[in-house]
Amino acid sequence: MEEPIIELEGLTKNYDGHPAVDQLSLTIRKGEIFGLLGPNGAGKSTSILMMLGLSEPTSGMVTVCGLNSTRNPLDVKRRVGYLPDDLGFYQQMTGLENLLYTASLNGIPKKIADERAHDLLKQVGLSDAADKKTGKYSRGMKQRLGLADVLIKDPEVIILDEPTLGIDPEGVRELLHLIKQLNEQQNITVLLSSHQLHQVQQVCDRVGIFVRGKLLAEGNLDSLAKQLFFKDSYVVSVEATPISEALIEAINQLSEVNRVEHITNTKLDIYCQSDITPVIAQKMLEHSASIYHISKKNYGLDEIYHRYFEGRESIETT
Amino acid sequence: MKLPKLSVLKEKVEPLGKVEVSPKLQEVSAFFSIVRKEFTDYILSWRIIILLAIIALTSLGSLYTAISTIKDTLSQSSDAQEIAKSSYLFLKLFTVSDGTLPPFITFVTFLGPLLGISLGFDAINSERNKGTLSRLMAQPIPRDYVLNAKFVAALLINIVLFFTLGFLVMGLGILIIGIPPSFEEFMRIIYFLILCIAYISFWLNLGILFSVQFKQAATSALSGIAVWIFFSLFYSMIINVITKGIMTSESLTSTEDYLSKQGFILNLMRLSPNYLFSESTTTLLSPSVRSLGPLTMEQTAGAVAGPLPLSQSLLLIWPQLTGLIAATLICFAISYILFMRQEIRTN
């Protein structure tokens, strides 16, 4: 296991007495892509600002690259690239000039900055637009320029706040691919926040679900599903005839099965703790039922998310 | 394609071993990067180009009227030329007019604030609205550098503009009237230019203050212009109303009473930066001004009528100058504190 590069300990931020971030503890390891997932206003951006030392935590500790962000924001900002959600550029300057300006703020000598800026523009596919004013850039181009802007200081960690916001699907695919590539080739740790689940799902090694200032669960998709719905992690849906009482009984007898839902005459939903699709199929055959369809419902993040919020609403109303 | 690491690039560019730059030095260079960028933005923006053009045109216009007035007077008699040499004629370039156009100092009093406000009013909020502020803040620079660098860049614009204008007027004056300025006249003009810069800095800082406080550039511009119009038009009207109220012939019983009331009104006037500025410029450019308050007959009795030396003129306007600088610093301090405490995020 790699060393931790971002560590949050009991991080709390209050706005007018209301906690925006509440006792958040999180460890992100070097070289991974971590997705911070949550609805709008969950406190994702606030946490990110605290990691960069741009906002002061009410209590708790943030350590990034072994440095306390609140005390040494400048040293942290030298090592961390941040792509804000409301990204903007100086419109009267060209893409290249914008990059060079950022480089000069990081104290990178002109010659190196020039070479690196051109390399980066090539990598994000903006070589042709390098001398175009950023006021004329499309949203997707701006986002890619933003990525180049973040990378010009050669960061150890990049933090992307809603990087896929407002880009078309193809643009999102390219951007995520680029992020993945950076992570693999240069071992840059990536923290990205989003409320768009399937996008995060595509690239993240680990995901943290963040709601109302609290981290509900973290881990990879499998373990998340287990943490949130440890009982009914897998659902196997079967369509077969005939479905006899004995068959249902037999399936219920299996130790991994939690419950069986009889939906129609020919349809069953089987909630189980682990993936036992083959066992179920076998049972069916033993009871001489003919199977028309059998499938495993996989819990994507969408489902996890949706199910979590379904639960939340019922809690709120009661 | 694989991106070369920065360190590899560094070695490529500096094969003789890279010079390790200290973080402090890096910060200073970052500061001047911001100043350079802001300065470039200013001189390329239409807003500033138009204002600079207006100011340059009006100063040339007022120079023309001043020169024609002076020439007319000089051509009236041969004695006039002799008298002129000993009576600070050169300074008249900035203060006299034939009535068609106001003199140079009036233009500066009037247009200077507009320039200051237009340099400052969107310093911070435009960065915020364009989303560049959070990107800027993510770079390894202290937060106050942004504010300080913007102030320095705008101040540089002012300095360049006013010294250019001042020297241009002087040069044209020498060419056309043919009388060179004495050293004292030259120094008076230099001090006058510095005063102009301090005066505009006040308005600049007021603009910056509004730009920190108001999220919309339009709000901050309008507030700045409102303050400017208030001080250049309405303030003196309000003072006139007050004067009428308290300086009635029934209420004035003695000379002391009259003097103290007059002093009170003068102090009220001096709350306006415009008044402070016009008092100081008059003193600097008209050496015959001996006092800025009322003088009684006893005080003037026995005084030799003649111009004040530069050091005495400076002494006379010292309170005005410190007052202006203090107002500037207060505006800057408030915007500094507000900015340091503000949240960076836009929403």
Side-chain angles (χ1 to χ4, degrees), chain A residues 244-258:
Chain A
S244 59
E245 287 299 318
L247 172 64
I248 294 175
E249 191 56 34
I251 293 173
N252 254 329
Q253 292 300 314
L254 293 168
S255 59
E256 290 93 344
V257 173
N258 291 324

Side-chain angles (χ1 to χ4, degrees), chain A residues 13 15 45-46 49 52 54-55 74 77-78 80 82 84-93 98 101-102 104-109 111-112 115-116 119-120 122-123 149 151-155 181 185-186, chain B residues 1-7 9-10 12-14 21 23-24 26-27 29-31 33-38 41 127-128 130-143 342-347:
Chain A
K13 173 84 185 177
Y15 282 118
S45 297
T46 310
L49 289 179
L52 288 158
L54 290 177
S55 188
L74 292 190
K77 285 192 272 187
R78 254 179 222 118
V80 180
Y82 167 54
D85 53 350
D86 56 338
L87 178 71
F89 290 94
Y90 297 106
Q91 297 182 354
Q92 73 282 14
M93 283 156 66
N98 266 295
Y101 181 50
T102 308
S104 72
L105 294 180
N106 281 283
I108 300 172
K111 248 180 170 176
I112 302 172
E115 194 165 337
R116 192 165 164 82
D119 277 337
L120 282 167
K122 203 164 165 191
Q123 200 184 17
D149 182 71
L151 291 170
I152 197 141
K153 61 169 112 164
D154 191 27
Q181 202 182 344
Q185 292 180 355
Q186 297 181 42
Chain B
M1 167 212 129
K2 193 170 172 6
L3 189 76
K5 287 289 258 189
L6 189 59
S7 49
L9 271 178
K10 269 184 189 155
K12 220 195 293 178
V13 181
E14 294 168 25
V21 189
K24 195 73 214 163
Q26 224 177 64
E27 280 174 27
S29 90
F31 182 78
S33 304
I34 309 180
V35 173
R36 198 179 320 127
K37 188 233 151 216
E38 291 300 327
D41 279 0
E127 296 258 357
R128 197 182 280 280
K130 276 187 290 178
T132 44
L133 186 66
S134 44
R135 213 163 50 79
L136 201 57
M137 285 290 110
Q139 310 308 329
I141 45 164
R143 192 189 274 210
Q342 246 169 11
E343 286 289 331
I344 291 303
R345 58 191 315 174
T346 19
N347 38 0

Side-chain angles (χ1 to χ4, degrees), chain B residues 232-250:
Chain B
S232 45
L233 293 178
F234 297 112
Y235 194 70
S236 53
M237 293 183 198
I238 294 170
I239 299 292
N240 280 341
V241 171
I242 297 174
T243 317
K244 264 195 184 153
I246 62 170
M247 296 287 251
T248 50
S249 46
E250 301 94 62

Side-chain angles (χ1 to χ4, degrees), chain B residues 67-281:
Chain B
I67 285 174
S68 52
T69 319
I70 293 170
K71 270 195 162 170
D72 286 349
T73 324
L74 283 184
S75 60
Q76 278 167 13
S77 71
S78 55
D79 291 343
Q81 288 207 14
E82 279 311 305
I83 299 167
K85 271 183 189 157
S86 56
S87 66
Y88 298 97
L89 178 77
F90 204 75
L91 296 177
K92 294 267 187 296
L93 278 178
F94 294 88
T95 51
V96 298
S97 106
D98 62 357
T100 46
L101 274 177
F104 189 79
I105 49 169
T106 316
F107 269 125
V108 174
T109 322
F110 190 69
L111 288 178
L114 196 59
L115 177 70
I117 291 168
S118 70
L119 284 170
F121 80 93
D122 66 347
I124 300 298
N125 51 18
S126 73
E127 296 258 357
R128 197 182 280 280
N129 293 339
K130 276 187 290 178
T132 44
L133 186 66
S134 44
R135 213 163 50 79
L136 201 57
M137 285 290 110
Q139 310 308 329
I141 45 164
R143 192 189 274 210
D144 57 339
Y145 272 25
V146 178
L147 201 66
N148 298 352
K150 278 180 182 270
F151 172 65
V152 170
L155 195 65
L156 275 178
I157 292 267
N158 267 333
I159 292 174
V160 171
L161 171 69
F162 274 92
F163 275 92
T164 314
L165 272 185
F167 288 137
L168 206 65
V169 170
M170 265 199 269
L172 286 177
I174 295 173
L175 279 180
I176 298 170
I177 330 178
I179 302 172
S182 67
F183 181 69
E184 196 190 322
E185 281 174 318
F186 179 73
M187 285 318 288
R188 276 179 186 272
I189 292 169
I190 297 291
Y191 280 117
F192 163 70
L193 294 176
I194 293 172
L195 195 69
C196 288
I197 292 162
Y199 175 60
I200 292 174
S201 302
F202 165 75
W203 291 98
L204 167 67
N205 273 314
L206 193 74
I208 292 179
L209 172 61
F210 286 147
S211 86
V212 174
Q213 181 57 34
F214 299 122
K215 300 280 178 277
Q216 297 296 326
T219 319
S220 96
L222 285 177
S223 320
I225 290 174
V227 175
W228 166 55
I229 289 180
F230 173 76
F231 277 124
S232 45
L233 293 178
F234 297 112
Y235 194 70
S236 53
M237 293 183 198
I238 294 170
I239 299 292
N240 280 341
V241 171
I242 297 174
T243 317
K244 264 195 184 153
I246 62 170
M247 296 287 251
T248 50
S249 46
E250 301 94 62
S251 69
L252 292 174
T253 47
S254 63
T255 323
E256 285 77 38
D257 192 31
Y258 179 82
L259 275 181
S260 80
K261 280 185 173 155
Q262 185 66 44
F264 171 69
I265 282 162
L266 202 58
N267 283 337
L268 277 185
M269 289 290 273
R270 283 178 181 152
L271 289 179
S272 151
N274 297 39
Y275 190 75
L276 287 184
F277 176 68
S278 60
E279 265 191 338
S280 345
T281 45

